Amino acid sequence: MNRFMRWLGIAVVVFIAAPLVIVVPMSFSEARSLQFPPPGYWLGYYRAYFTDVSWLVPTWNSILIASATTVLTMALVVPATFALVRHRFRGKSIADLMMLMPLAVPHIVMAVGYYSYFGDLGIVHTHLGVILAHTCLSVPIAFLVLSANLKGFDRTLERAAQSLGASPTRTFIHVTLPILRPGLVISALFAFIQSFDETVVAIFISGRGAETLPRKMFDSIRQEADPVIAVISTLLFAAVLIGLTAPLLLSRWRGRRARIGTG
Amino acid sequence: MSTYLQLSGISKIYGQFTALEAVDLDIKKGEFVTFLGPSGSGKTTTLMIIAGFETASSGAVNVAGKSLFGLAPHERNIGIVFQNYGLFPHKTAAQNVYFPLQMRGWDKAKGLKRAEEMLDLVGLKGFGHRHPKELSGGQQQRVALARALVFEPSLLLLDEPLGALDKNLREQMQIEIKRIQRALGVTTIFVTHDQTEAMSMSDRIVVFEKGRVQQVATPLELYHKPETRFVAGFIGESNLIEATITDAAAGEAGNTALGTVEYARTDKVASGAAVTLMIRPEHIKLSRNPVDGRKNVRMKVETIVNYGDNALVIGKVGEQPMRVRVLGADVVIIREGEECCISWTRDSVYVIAN
Amino acid sequence: MALSIASLSARKNMWPWLLLAPLAIYMAVFFLVPLADVAVMSVTEPRPTLANYERVLTTALYQRVFVNTFATAAIVTICCLIVGYPLAYLMANSKPRTAMLILLLVTMSFWTSFLVRTYAWMVLLGNNGPLIWLLRAIGMEQPPQLLFTRFSSTLAMVHILAPYMVMNIYSVMKKIDPTLIRSAESLGARGLSLFRHVYLPLTAPGIANGSVLVFVICLGFYVTPVLLGSPREQMIAGLIGNQIDEFLAFGMGSAMAMVLLFVTLVILTIYHRRFGLDKLWG
């Protein structure tokens, strides 16, 4: 591979990495506002975050809302995915496309709609409102992941289970679900992250007690550029890092243990 | 022995396409029966109908006199070994074998113990704790077999189970399966497209072609007395010669490229009938000159394939292609491109009604 | 017997609809209705009229915003391509270890929220931030304002959307059979001509996919232009937000939203006709 490509590649890597990396030292900075290089390092802003109610409440709201959204999304998506992957019926291709519709609509458009509609229903600035909205927005990604998993499912296993005496229900419980579990977990995880990070709709319909973390961060950035945001950014960034590397490390550790065991 | 598994008038139609037509079978208890046929001949469809995964368009399936109609697959108590084994990846081998017992309410400790016993029977003692992905193809096969047999099913169905194995392993497994089947005495149906496999393992073979049963017979009967042209061509090698019966009483047929041919005496055809004459290549003798007491014709040799201990001589008598199998030593007398003499006795000529 | 088989299959045909029903009803009530609400409001607020659309489409100010949005989306898409293609190439053709690390980096960027990455760029480009500091360090007396400009907004959007481009192109590159390249080389193609005639066409689907995705997302982008961009050069999403937030002009905001939606759907429909939408989110 020629030198030009390699250097270009390195430049791009730096471009991608720099913003992600920069927030980490800034979160430890002593300065009152953004200042580079930081005058000194301390954990003060970390402490500030973990003790400030005005930050902890939105954090808790986001966790709560994302969890509820995940449950609702999975409850709706799991049966629908089975219907779309395993059955043939008229209108299936339209239904397939409809599942992905929320991905095609810009969030700002949905935000306007939810602001008006939920306003009429009286559920703006409530947890319920945000949960209902976020569920719609999480459905496509949960569906995509789960349907990919389900399409790859070997149906001979279900036939085998039935031939061995398991009724369709017991087959589902003892064979289908356990094998599908990783796909379900990832699907739920994506739904959770989608809701937790969602900003635009949250800006318009969360608030006053049901404020989400992204909404609070957005307001804060606009008003005062609080250094605590660097702390939150670092924590979120660390969460992503752990989330991505942990499964890899876990499977490697498990593999090593199995080899030692059978050796 | 009376009939144990009975199929009467089974047919299966998908819209315009007839997958099975008028399938009738009587299988005795403890028999090892093979469904043999090319792809799409209907053998797997029939198996799936017995198992309950497909519903016949018409006809009935009875086991020990009781109809299976209306019974879901999980109610039929039939053991199945699928083509890709169907082992549950999230369970160990022992847990896989325990599964049918679990479904029948067996106590876990007793069930797992029985599973281990079954694994021992198939030669996998001590492998119970392994997951399928830690087992080789042949080992997975055995686990699938153990799992299908542990609950003492009324029938054992095997759907081309040996296709994915290499030749040596396949032959090993053929012997293993036969051994276990004999030991347990379970009525078995084995589906394959490999006729050598069918010939070596079966008590009887059911030959399928295009959704119909061509013949049901023991391997040797199929080989020596095929009832249709298809069976004659499918089982072993054969020379098939179109002919018309000129004199049924004398056992003579004419209107062939080989002139008048006498055939092994039989009552099943009348004069004037159009038939196919079959001669197995190993029943034909090769010589330079005509041999007394045999039917002789001259053949132009086109290709000789020498396997060392035997050789296949392919040639033409007029427009009729012929194949001859001879011992390796005998083939030295002729060369490709030459003419030679081939001969046979009338008992080697078998008549197949068209 | 025929009767029972028929009734069995009738029951079987109901099943998928039953499974689909909860989601379908939910989406109808909580997705289609709000969307319809926007459409309705665009022609009924403050009173039944088409005036909103008239104003949106003919006012010079708004027209400038549309043009600006389109132009920015186009620029961002092209930049993402310039940035993303080499990176995808690097990922597809490096040693497995290196490729894995780069993939990890891109994935991390992908999964870090838009808001966090936007904030990171605020830190980077701020007047007291590292970039200004660097410029001062190399001797520039009066470094230009970097933040709250079209430049900062565009740059941040390129960074945020690049992973979409990279992933799309990478997934296509990974599937390219290396023997294809080798046989092309054996037939005489080298360097630039190999790239132009063999590699580029093979990766074209990834480029198309990534470009459409990036363009469409960029059109409707709210967070980054609002936080980082110049207040004088707004993009349409920010404009819509203003109408709703500041002016409570639901009619105007809805009309603008409908225009944005319409353009987005047109682009996606054209793409669907040509390639099939299911490939976009593969």
Side-chain angles (χ1 to χ4, degrees):
Chain A
M1 199 185 2
N2 55 34
R3 295 239 330 322
F4 170 70
M5 271 304 205
R6 186 168 289 145
W7 281 112
L8 187 57
I10 291 177
V12 172
V13 168
V14 170
F15 171 69
I16 300 281
L20 301 176
V21 169
I22 198 69
V23 282
V24 182
M26 297 309 263
S27 68
F28 295 103
S29 160
E30 269 181 0
R32 274 285 206 79
S33 58
L34 295 174
Q35 201 181 319
F36 190 87
Y41 295 100
W42 68 329
L43 285 174
Y45 287 116
Y46 279 87
R47 218 172 322 158
Y49 170 67
F50 283 107
T51 55
D52 187 351
V53 171
S54 70
W55 281 108
L56 290 178
V57 168
T59 307
W60 173 244
N61 281 339
S62 279
I63 294 175
L64 195 64
I65 289 171
S67 305
T69 301
T70 304
V71 170
L72 186 55
T73 304
M74 294 311 282
L76 295 171
V77 165
V78 171
T81 308
F82 270 87
L84 286 171
V85 172
R86 291 201 166 177
H87 294 266
R88 242 177 247 144
F89 53 95
R90 267 189 322 203
K92 174 164 150 28
S93 48
I94 300 175
D96 257 321
L97 219 56
M98 291 279 140
M99 296 291 277
L100 303 179
M101 252 196 326
L103 287 176
V105 178
H107 282 205
I108 186 67
V109 177
M110 292 312 300
V112 174
Y114 283 129
Y115 193 45
S116 160
Y117 181 49
F118 284 178
D120 291 341
L121 290 178
I123 53 175
V124 190
H125 302 314
T126 66
H127 289 84
L128 180 65
V130 184
I131 292 170
L132 293 175
H134 276 187
T135 301
C136 283
L137 300 177
S138 289
V139 158
I141 187 85
F143 170 70
L144 280 173
V145 172
L146 195 60
S147 73
N149 262 276
L150 195 56
K151 279 184 190 154
F153 189 91
D154 182 6
R155 301 205 67 180
T156 320
L157 296 173
E158 291 175 336
R159 284 196 165 183
Q162 288 194 31
S163 75
L164 296 167
S167 66
T169 313
R170 294 184 91 183
T171 303
F172 186 75
I173 296 171
H174 289 273
V175 176
T176 313
L177 273 188
I179 296 178
L180 219 48
R181 196 175 51 196
L184 288 169
V185 168
I186 296 185
S187 185
L189 189 64
F190 282 21
F192 184 90
I193 294 173
Q194 161 83 326
S195 168
F196 193 86
D197 282 345
E198 204 283 322
T199 310
V200 183
V201 171
I203 288 172
F204 285 86
I205 68 168
S206 82
R208 287 196 227 135
E211 212 177 17
T212 64
L213 188 61
R215 157 107 200 224
K216 172 93 175 119
M217 284 171 74
F218 181 81
D219 287 338
S220 181
I221 292 174
R222 261 196 137 163
Q223 286 155 24
E224 69 230 2
D226 193 337
V228 171
I229 300 176
V231 168
I232 302 174
S233 301
T234 307
L235 290 172
L236 288 175
F237 181 65
V240 172
L241 184 62
I242 294 172
L244 282 177
T245 51
L248 269 127
L249 295 171
L250 201 72
S251 65
R252 208 175 276 177
W253 174 72
R254 237 188 238 143
R256 202 170 291 151
R257 222 175 43 148
R259 259 174 281 143
I260 294 172
T262 55
Chain B
M1 267 194 289
S2 56
T3 300
Y4 186 67
L5 168 67
Q6 186 178 51
L7 274 65
S8 332
I10 297 283
S11 75
K12 179 73 182 168
I13 303 170
Y14 297 102
Q16 301 280 48
F17 173 64
T18 306
L20 283 178
E21 207 179 321
V23 173
D24 290 301
L25 287 176
D26 282 326
I27 296 170
K28 304 184 185 57
K29 192 158 180 21
E31 253 198 302
F32 191 109
V33 170
T34 299
F35 287 1
L36 176 65
S39 299
S41 54
K43 52 191 198 300
T44 303
T45 311
T46 310
L47 200 75
M48 288 299 140
I49 289 175
I50 299 173
F53 293 117
E54 299 264 6
T55 323
S57 305
S58 68
V61 179
N62 286 356
V63 174
K66 281 202 297 236
S67 168
L68 292 184
F69 179 75
L71 286 182
H74 66 276
E75 295 166 325
R76 295 196 179 201
N77 204 44
I78 295 175
I80 308 178
V81 177
F82 293 89
Q83 210 161 352
N84 53 7
Y85 320 135
L87 294 180
F88 305 133
H90 62 297
K91 292 178 184 282
T92 63
Q95 286 167 345
N96 262 280
V97 179
Y98 168 57
F99 185 79
L101 303 175
Q102 188 184 358
M103 291 298 113
R104 287 161 174 79
W106 276 51
D107 165 66
K108 188 159 184 187
K110 270 182 75 184
L112 284 173
K113 185 162 173 295
R114 178 96 183 88
E116 296 280 356
E117 282 170 17
M118 205 63 206
L119 284 173
D120 194 9
L121 183 72
V122 298
L124 286 179
K125 196 183 178 80
F127 279 72
H129 65 286
R130 292 212 190 167
H131 283 88
K133 63 175 184 281
E134 296 164 331
L135 296 170
S136 72
Q139 289 165 339
Q140 288 183 22
Q141 252 277 340
R142 293 170 195 249
V143 176
L145 201 57
R147 187 180 68 174
L149 290 170
V150 73
F151 57 99
E152 285 166 30
S154 54
L155 288 174
L156 176 66
L157 308 178
L158 300 121
D159 186 10
E160 306 209 49
L162 306 181
L165 305 175
D166 64 65
K167 185 163 179 288
N168 282 340
L169 198 52
R170 208 181 314 159
E171 284 172 3
Q172 231 181 309
M173 283 308 296
Q174 284 168 11
I175 299 170
E176 270 299 290
I177 293 173
K178 264 324 287 257
R179 176 184 71 81
I180 296 165
Q181 191 263 348
R182 283 243 171 77
L184 296 175
V186 59
T187 313
T188 303
I189 300 179
F190 187 92
V191 168
T192 181
H193 60 271
D194 181 339
Q195 47 118 334
T196 342
E197 198 163 73
M199 297 285 279
S200 64
M201 294 177 80
S202 327
D203 293 332
R204 280 195 299 161
I205 302 176
V206 180
V207 181
F208 281 85
E209 211 250 336
K210 294 211 180 81
R212 289 184 150 275
V213 173
Q214 297 275 313
Q215 192 173 352
V216 183
T218 66
L220 284 179
E221 274 171 16
L222 277 183
Y223 187 77
H224 291 292
K225 302 199 178 106
E227 279 167 22
T228 71
R229 206 168 192 284
F230 174 80
V231 176
F234 193 74
I235 309 272
E237 294 176 302
S238 57
N239 292 296
L240 298 172
I241 303 139
E242 304 300 321
T244 317
I245 306 294
T246 49
D247 188 343
E252 281 176 9
N255 196 20
T256 79
L258 311 174
T260 307
V261 180
E262 289 180 330
Y263 55 85
R265 288 206 172 76
T266 171
D267 288 332
K268 68 179 183 188
V269 284
S271 298
V275 297
T276 303
L277 302 174
M278 179 193 80
I279 312 174
R280 294 286 183 197
E282 67 269 18
H283 292 155
I284 301 176
K285 197 178 163 75
L286 205 65
S287 58
R288 280 214 172 280
N289 301 306
V291 177
D292 285 335
R294 299 166 72 91
K295 162 80 179 172
N296 292 279
V297 291
R298 293 206 71 77
M299 176 177 87
K300 178 117 195 291
V301 176
E302 290 178 340
T303 315
I304 301 176
V305 186
N306 198 329
Y307 296 98
D309 60 342
N310 74 83
L312 182 63
V313 181
I314 302 169
K316 274 217 176 93
V317 178
E319 284 306 309
Q320 172 76 40
M322 295 291 283
R323 304 176 134 226
V324 185
R325 271 221 189 251
V326 293
L327 291 175
D330 293 345
V331 81
V332 294
I333 58 171
I334 46 123
R335 278 200 291 269
E336 286 180 6
E338 288 182 359
E339 267 206 359
C340 69
C341 190
I342 56 173
S343 61
W344 57 83
T345 62
R346 72 180 302 163
D347 286 321
S348 305
V349 183
Y350 183 73
V351 172
I352 302 170
N354 276 356
Chain C
M1 178 158 63
L3 207 68
S4 54
I5 291 180
S7 65
L8 252 173
S9 61
R11 192 159 56 105
K12 252 188 146 196
N13 275 331
M14 279 294 292
W15 192 228
W17 290 109
L18 281 173
L19 291 175
L20 204 47
L23 183 62
I25 297 172
Y26 185 89
M27 295 301 271
V29 174
F30 292 110
F31 179 74
L32 290 178
V33 170
L35 212 52
D37 204 350
V38 177
V40 165
M41 279 197 297
S42 68
V43 289
T44 59
E45 289 282 332
R47 61 187 187 289
T49 172
L50 282 177
N52 293 322
Y53 282 104
E54 211 192 309
R55 272 181 68 195
V56 167
L57 294 170
T58 57
T59 314
L61 175 69
Y62 299 145
Q63 285 173 342
R64 237 202 2 250
V65 169
F66 287 129
V67 170
N68 186 30
T69 308
F70 248 89
T72 308
I75 295 172
V76 168
T77 305
I78 295 172
C79 290
C80 278
L81 204 52
I82 295 173
V83 163
Y85 198 93
L87 196 60
Y89 183 82
L90 216 67
M91 274 166 66
N93 293 302
S94 297
K95 292 192 293 263
R97 231 318 159 63
T98 320
M100 175 108 150
L101 284 171
I102 303 178
L103 180 62
L104 189 65
L105 180 67
V106 172
T107 313
M108 285 204 59
S109 187
F110 183 80
W111 283 108
T112 310
S113 80
F114 286 8
L115 200 52
V116 170
R117 283 186 277 168
T118 303
Y119 176 72
W121 277 103
M122 293 183 82
V123 170
L124 262 181
L125 298 174
N127 278 329
N128 295 318
L131 221 56
I132 298 283
W133 176 82
L134 199 68
L135 289 177
R136 287 224 177 87
I138 61 172
M140 204 181 279
E141 284 280 323
Q142 292 264 30
Q145 160 97 344
L146 291 176
L147 209 49
F148 307 123
T149 62
R150 190 131 170 237
F151 168 73
S152 60
S153 166
T154 310
L155 187 61
M157 281 197 282
V158 171
H159 181 260
I160 290 174
L161 295 177
Y164 287 91
M165 183 71 83
V166 173
M167 299 292 216
N168 260 296
I169 299 178
Y170 173 64
S171 72
V172 171
M173 278 185 180
K174 233 175 43 145
K175 292 199 192 104
I176 294 180
D177 188 354
T179 60
L180 213 66
I181 306 293
R182 266 178 250 142
S183 53
E185 282 177 334
S186 76
L187 292 167
R190 291 265 160 205
L192 203 62
S193 70
L194 178 69
F195 180 76
R196 225 182 85 205
H197 292 285
V198 181
Y199 210 69
L200 194 61
L202 284 175
T203 54
I207 296 175
N209 262 4
S211 301
V212 170
L213 199 57
V214 168
F215 189 83
V216 158
I217 296 177
C218 199
L219 274 184
F221 223 128
Y222 181 80
V223 173
T224 308
V226 167
L227 288 178
L228 278 185
S230 158
R232 271 167 293 134
E233 284 159 2
Q234 275 192 319
M235 288 179 68
I236 191 171
L239 197 63
I240 296 172
N242 272 356
Q243 295 292 318
I244 303 295
D245 243 355
E246 278 184 45
F247 306 131
L248 291 177
F250 278 87
M252 283 297 286
S254 300
M256 289 177 193
M258 290 307 287
V259 171
L260 173 62
L261 181 62
F262 178 73
V263 173
T264 304
L265 289 180
V266 162
I267 296 175
L268 289 176
T269 311
I270 296 175
Y271 182 83
H272 179 50
R273 284 276 157 77
R274 186 78 164 73
F275 297 100
L277 216 52
D278 41 313
K279 294 206 176 59
L280 205 54
W281 288 281

